Structures are given as structure tokens and as C-alpha cells.
Amino acid sequence: MGNGLWFLMAFFVGESLMYAVATMSNRTGQCQLLIIATGLIAILVYSLYHGVLSLPELPFQLDRGVQVLGYMCLGYAFKRTLIVLTRRQGAILFFLGTSLFSILAIINGFCTPPIAAFEAILAAVTGLVAAIGFSAAMAHNRVFASIGENSLVYYALNALTLNICKLGVFRVLNIDATTWPWIGQLLMGIVVTILALALLAIENAIVQRWLWWTIGKPRPAATVSAMHAKSK
């Protein structure tokens, strides 16, 4: 069912559907209205399918792909408005979106499943608005940009890397932190996390330098230059 990397399969389905929707809307001339309507219908269909009818998941994340299509449509329709947000407007949007999202998240636990499913849509939209507002208010941050740029490598290797670090600390070094006070367990967890991050940085450098093709990137410029120099 693709549960481990479900979002990649769902994104592929959503991207394929989005291409068809964008092509049709451009031909009809009703671009924004058609895309907004399609997005809302796609989100409602997914919510009815899972939240109300509780039907089984479809293979290859086809059902989640419809949900992805819905949010992609909304982002595509409003991108021109959102992309020109000032830092002040972004900060206001972040504050309002976070406040509303928090309220909806608390109320959601007290709602019946059908109502909770539709309330979750509103919570998702307000959460996305808050995230967009945060991005606009932050403008550019090198740390966040680096994490986003390399997120595929981090996601693919994080479980393996963390297990290697846990194996080394708790098995090879034979450290048993389960009987420690909570502060000791917390510190040990931080130590293991730091080790995993350091190992991930090394793994990411290897992928970017020699395994760039595994993440769909072009050959690094340094490698291309070296190949040209060698051929000459």
C-alpha cells in the first residue's frame, strides 16, 4: 500500500490529476474558478470517502492522491496572492492561522466522526495558511532552506540512521538507559539524536556528490567540470 513513503505515491497521483485540471482550466478560460471548485470537490470527496463512509484505502494511494489534488488546486489558485505577501502580512496571517488552527484542533476531539472530518478540512486549510504566513514573515533562512532542499534524503535515511546510532550506543556500548532518571534518559536521547544528525549530514554529502541520480537531481557541476577536464 505504500504506507512507508505514502506521500510520494500520493503526490504522483495528485500531480498527474493536477496536470489534467490545469490544462482543462486554461482551455476554458475560467482558470481560477474552475480550479478552486475542483479543489473543494476533491477534498470533500476524500473526506466523505474516509471520514463519513469509512471505506477501505485504495491501492497506490489513489484516494490520498485525490486529497492532494484538492490542496494543490487551492495553492495553485491563490499562489499569486500569497507569493506577494509582505513580512508584516505574513506575521499577521501566521498569528491568526495558528490561533484558529489551535482552537479547531482542540474542538475536533469532541466532535462526532462526520463533523470532525469536515472540521479537519478547515483545520488543515488554516494550518497551511499559518505555515505560508510563517514563511513570508521569515523571508529567507539558510537553515530551513537547507533542510527543505535535502528533505528527501533525510526522510529516506532517517530511520536507518537512527537505528544504526541506537545499535551502536545501546548494543555495542551496552548502555542501558531505561533505568536512568528521566533527565538522564532525555539527555541520552539528545546525544543519540545528535549522532544521528551528524551521520545524516555525512550520508547526505555522499548522496549529493555521488548518488545524485537517486533523488532525481542533475549531475553536480563539479563532477561535470572534472569529466570535461579529464576528456581534454
Side-chain angles (χ1 to χ4, degrees):
M1 296 299 290
N3 290 328
L5 294 172
W6 67 268
F7 67 95
L8 292 178
M9 301 179 73
F11 182 77
F12 174 77
V13 174
E15 184 78 13
S16 301
L17 295 173
M18 185 67 205
Y19 176 78
V21 171
T23 301
M24 291 173 57
S25 63
N26 289 332
R27 289 178 179 175
T28 59
Q30 301 294 325
C31 183
Q32 189 172 22
L33 291 177
L34 179 59
I35 289 179
I36 292 174
T38 303
L40 293 175
I41 291 172
I43 295 172
L44 289 173
V45 166
Y46 176 83
S47 299
L48 285 171
Y49 187 88
H50 278 290
V52 179
L53 302 177
S54 299
L55 296 174
E57 291 186 13
L58 297 177
F60 308 113
Q61 301 297 329
L62 293 174
D63 47 344
R64 289 185 181 272
V66 173
Q67 183 191 33
V68 170
L69 168 67
Y71 290 107
M72 288 181 70
C73 285
L74 296 182
Y76 187 88
F78 294 105
K79 67 176 182 179
R80 293 182 180 177
T81 302
L82 297 172
I83 205 169
V84 296
L85 288 174
T86 63
R87 300 187 69 172
R88 181 179 180 182
Q89 291 172 334
I92 295 173
L93 207 60
F94 169 69
F95 176 77
L96 294 177
T98 302
S99 301
L100 182 56
F101 173 82
S102 301
I103 294 172
L104 291 170
I106 294 172
I107 296 175
N108 188 268
F110 300 98
C111 297
T112 58
I115 297 176
F118 291 105
E119 193 203 37
I121 298 174
L122 184 58
V125 172
T126 55
L128 288 170
V129 168
I132 293 170
F134 177 76
S135 299
M138 182 179 57
H140 179 73
N141 182 281
R142 188 171 60 182
V143 175
F144 283 115
S146 178
I147 293 172
E149 185 179 340
N150 301 299
S151 59
L152 186 57
V153 178
Y154 296 152
Y155 190 92
L157 298 178
N158 83 90
L160 173 65
T161 305
L162 189 57
N163 284 333
I164 291 174
C165 292
K166 289 191 293 185
L167 180 66
V169 172
F170 301 124
R171 295 288 184 178
V172 177
L173 298 180
N174 198 26
I175 298 176
D176 184 9
T178 58
T179 58
W180 294 6
W182 70 268
I183 186 65
Q185 294 186 30
L186 176 61
L187 292 175
M188 179 53 66
I190 293 174
V191 169
V192 174
T193 302
I194 291 174
L195 290 175
L197 290 173
L199 184 55
L200 264 176
I202 297 173
E203 293 167 345
N204 181 59
I206 293 173
V207 170
Q208 299 294 338
R209 181 66 176 80
W210 289 290
L211 301 175
W212 40 267
W213 46 272
T214 62
I215 54 176
K217 281 193 172 183
R219 187 187 296 271
T223 306
V224 175
S225 300
M227 291 178 62
H228 284 308
K230 186 176 181 181
S231 63
K232 291 181 180 178

